[in-house]
Amino acid sequence: MVHKNQDDDDEHELVMEKRVIELQQWIKTQPQFPQNISSKLLRRFLHTTRGDASASQRLLELNYTLRNKHAHIFIDRDPMDASSQQLLQVADLIPLPGLTPENNKLLFYRLIDFDADKFNFTAGIKVFFMVADCRFATENDGRLSDGEIPIFDMAGYTLRHLTKTVLSSLRCYMKFVQEAHPVRLKEIHVINCPSYLDKVLTVVKPFIKSEVFKLIHFHLPNADTPYKHFPQSMMPEEYGGNAGKMSDLKNQWMQLLKEQRDYLSDPLNWQLNKVSKKFGQSKKYNEIIPSLKTLEID
C-alpha cells in the first residue's frame, strides 16, 4: 500500500519535472543565457522559489548578471590554481553530510592555519562559491534540503585577519548570498566568538540586510548553545559529533572540486552572451533586486 506522503512526494516530483522542462524551454528563448544549464541546477532554482516559475526566472537573471559583473570571482576561477589551493590549506569550507530533523543543510567554515599573512580574503570568497557550485552540480536528485544553516567558527580569527578584508569582495559576497544565491537561509551561527566581535561587526554589518541579521546567532567559545538549534551529532568529530573527521570530509570535497574542475572553470558555463543587452540596462533588471528581497528568508 502506498502511503499518502509517498503519493505527495511522487506528485511533487512530477510537478517539479514539468517545471524544469518549462524553465528549459524559457531559457531557449533567452539567448543571453548559457544554453547548457543543467536540469539539476534549474531544479535548485525552482526549489528555492518553491516552484514559482517567474521568481525562478528573476533569480536566474540576477544570479548570472552578478556573476558576470564580478567575473574575477565567479568566472575567472580554477579550484586547482595556486591561490585556491593555498586558501584550502588555510581554511575549511565544508558542507556537512546529512540533514537536520527540520530538513536543513549544515555548512561549516573555519580557519585551520591562523597565520593572517597566508589569508587571502578574495580567494576565500572565490572558493566559497566554487564549493557551492560544486555541491549544486553533484547533489542527489532526491528532495533537496528545505534550507541552509552556515556555521562560522571564529577560532583563530584575529584583528590582523580583519585587516585583510577586501570591501569590494565583501560587498559582492553579501549581495550575492542575500539576493542571488539559490538557497533559503534559515539560520546563521557564529561560534567561538572573540572579544573583539564588535569590531568585526563594524566592518560587515553595513552589508547585511536587517532581515538576514535577525537570523544570526552568536555563541561564546566552547558554548553548547549552538546545539539548541541543530544536533551536535551532525558536527565533525572534532566538535563532538559523528560526521567524521574534518580531514576526511575535506578530502572528499577536494576530490569533488578536482572532478568538477572543468565545469567550474569553463567560462561558457557562466558567461552571458555579450551581444544581448537585456540584463543590467533595462527597467526590468532594476526591478529584480527588490522583488527578491525576501525570497531566501522564511
Side-chain angles (χ1 to χ4, degrees), residues 78-138:
D78 181 351
M80 305 307 294
D81 68 17
S83 62
S84 298
Q85 287 296 302
Q86 179 179 342
L87 188 282
L88 288 165
Q89 296 301 315
V90 170
D92 288 334
L93 300 89
I94 308 296
L96 296 178
L99 298 171
T100 70
E102 297 77 26
N103 201 39
N104 295 320
K105 187 73 174 176
L106 300 182
L107 313 165
F108 194 79
Y109 309 102
R110 71 170 185 174
L111 290 172
I112 51 176
D113 186 328
F114 299 162
D115 185 351
D117 290 333
K118 298 178 182 179
F119 181 67
N120 183 319
F121 185 85
T122 301
I125 301 299
K126 292 178 72 169
V127 172
F128 175 95
F129 287 119
M130 281 192 281
V131 171
D133 288 334
C134 180
R135 178 165 70 95
F136 299 160
T138 58

Side-chain angles (χ1 to χ4, degrees), residues 26 36 43 87 100 109 114 141 184 233 293 295-296:
W26 174 77
N36 58 348
R43 174 188 169 91
L87 188 282
T100 70
Y109 309 102
F114 299 162
D141 290 328
R184 303 185 202 131
S233 61
K293 279 185 175 178
L295 187 61
E296 299 173 15

Side-chain angles (χ1 to χ4, degrees), residues 6-280:
Q6 183 62 53
D7 289 337
D8 291 343
D9 287 346
D10 291 344
E11 182 179 355
H12 172 83
E13 288 304 310
L14 289 173
V15 171
M16 186 63 76
E17 288 177 13
K18 180 175 181 290
R19 289 179 177 167
V20 166
I21 293 172
E22 291 171 349
L23 196 54
Q24 288 173 324
Q25 294 300 317
W26 174 77
I27 287 175
K28 289 180 180 179
T29 70
Q30 308 294 314
Q32 69 280 353
F33 273 121
Q35 294 297 303
N36 58 348
I37 303 175
S38 72
S39 59
K40 184 174 291 189
L41 185 55
L42 294 179
R43 174 188 169 91
R44 167 162 282 280
F45 277 87
L46 282 162
H47 177 74
T48 299
T49 62
R50 293 187 168 83
D52 186 322
S54 296
S56 296
Q57 292 169 9
R58 295 193 300 270
L59 185 57
L60 273 162
E61 289 176 347
L62 183 55
N63 182 288
Y64 280 82
T65 299
L66 290 180
R67 285 181 186 273
N68 282 257
K69 182 178 180 181
H70 303 283
H72 68 293
I73 289 176
F74 293 102
I75 297 177
D76 181 17
R77 62 184 188 175
D78 181 351
M80 305 307 294
D81 68 17
S83 62
S84 298
Q85 287 296 302
Q86 179 179 342
L87 188 282
L88 288 165
Q89 296 301 315
V90 170
D92 288 334
L93 300 89
I94 308 296
L96 296 178
L99 298 171
T100 70
E102 297 77 26
N103 201 39
N104 295 320
K105 187 73 174 176
L106 300 182
L107 313 165
F108 194 79
Y109 309 102
R110 71 170 185 174
L111 290 172
I112 51 176
D113 186 328
F114 299 162
D115 185 351
D117 290 333
K118 298 178 182 179
F119 181 67
N120 183 319
F121 185 85
T122 301
I125 301 299
K126 292 178 72 169
V127 172
F128 175 95
F129 287 119
M130 281 192 281
V131 171
D133 288 334
C134 180
R135 178 165 70 95
F136 299 160
T138 58
E139 58 195 353
N140 295 330
D141 290 328
R143 186 179 291 275
L144 302 178
S145 63
D146 286 336
E148 311 264 308
I149 301 179
I151 304 165
F152 297 92
D153 184 354
M154 292 195 70
Y157 186 88
T158 66
L159 290 175
R160 289 196 62 225
H161 286 91
L162 186 61
T163 66
K164 299 282 187 175
T165 302
V166 179
L167 291 181
S168 60
S169 297
L170 176 63
R171 183 182 297 109
C172 167
Y173 170 80
M174 289 296 186
K175 186 175 186 64
F176 195 92
V177 297
Q178 293 176 100
E179 298 179 9
H181 209 30
V183 303
R184 303 185 202 131
L185 285 172
K186 293 291 188 176
E187 297 174 349
I188 301 167
H189 292 274
V190 184
I191 65 175
N192 291 317
C193 289
S195 59
Y196 45 85
L197 179 65
D198 58 328
K199 293 181 174 61
V200 178
L201 290 178
T202 298
V203 174
V204 301
K205 192 174 180 181
F207 301 100
I208 304 177
K209 294 178 179 295
S210 59
E211 61 266 32
V212 174
F213 193 77
K214 293 176 183 178
L215 302 177
I216 304 178
H217 301 266
F218 300 98
H219 305 277
L220 294 172
N222 303 313
D224 60 3
T225 49
Y227 308 123
K228 296 178 181 178
H229 300 269
F230 54 83
Q232 185 175 9
S233 61
M234 292 187 64
M235 292 287 278
E237 288 182 10
E238 293 86 341
Y239 295 80
N242 302 322
K245 294 181 179 179
M246 281 295 292
S247 58
D248 293 337
L249 295 171
K250 184 170 187 174
N251 286 338
Q252 294 172 17
W253 280 97
M254 294 280 280
Q255 180 61 32
L256 278 174
L257 285 170
K258 185 176 181 180
E259 292 172 1
Q260 295 295 318
R261 180 184 188 183
D262 290 345
Y263 167 71
L264 296 169
S265 303
D266 188 348
L268 295 179
N269 292 326
W270 313 105
Q271 282 180 339
L272 293 174
N273 181 353
K274 294 181 180 180
V275 174
S276 171
K277 302 297 184 183
K278 178 180 178 182
F279 292 168

